[in-house]
């Protein structure tokens, strides 16, 4: 689905825990997340630390969304 959305001219960020799957489906902007049961959080963290973690992931996704890419790119940092 990400390929079709991008073909329509809208950039897409695929946030996932298993980046090889994103590569297989053809996502161009890939942001790795935390864990399969909790992709955008960590229940072991206190409220403040989890907020920082989630905010950081969203900021990384926004950066990926506004970055021109030529093919598949994994945004690690």
């Amino acid at each position: 689905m990400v390929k079709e959305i991008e073909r329509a001219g809208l950039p897409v960020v695929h946030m996932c825990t298993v980046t090889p799957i994103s590569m297989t489906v053809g996502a161009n902007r890939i942001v790795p997340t935390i864990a399969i049961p909790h992709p955008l959080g960590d229940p072991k963290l206190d409220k403040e630390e989890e907020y920082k973690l989630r905010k950081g992931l969203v900021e990384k996704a926004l950066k990926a969304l506004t970055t021109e890419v030529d093919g598949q790119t994994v945004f690690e940092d």
Side-chain angles (χ1 to χ4, degrees):
M1 183 189 278
V2 293
K3 287 171 71 173
E4 292 303 317
I5 294 171
E6 288 214 357
R7 233 177 278 203
L10 299 169
V12 175
V13 175
H14 196 240
M15 298 177 77
C16 65
T17 55
V18 186
T19 56
I21 292 173
S22 295
M23 301 292 278
T24 301
V25 299
N28 284 328
R29 294 171 185 84
I30 303 165
V31 173
T33 57
I34 307 306
I36 291 173
H38 307 285
L40 294 176
D42 184 346
K44 296 176 190 166
L45 298 176
D46 64 40
K47 185 177 177 179
E48 187 176 302
E49 290 299 313
E50 187 167 26
Y51 177 82
K52 288 179 186 176
L53 173 68
R54 289 177 181 212
K55 183 178 179 184
L57 286 168
V58 170
E59 288 172 347
K60 190 182 300 185
L62 289 171
K63 179 182 177 188
L65 191 63
T66 59
T67 302
E68 285 292 325
V69 295
D70 185 26
Q72 295 182 309
T73 305
V74 178
F75 290 83
E76 297 283 347
D77 294 322

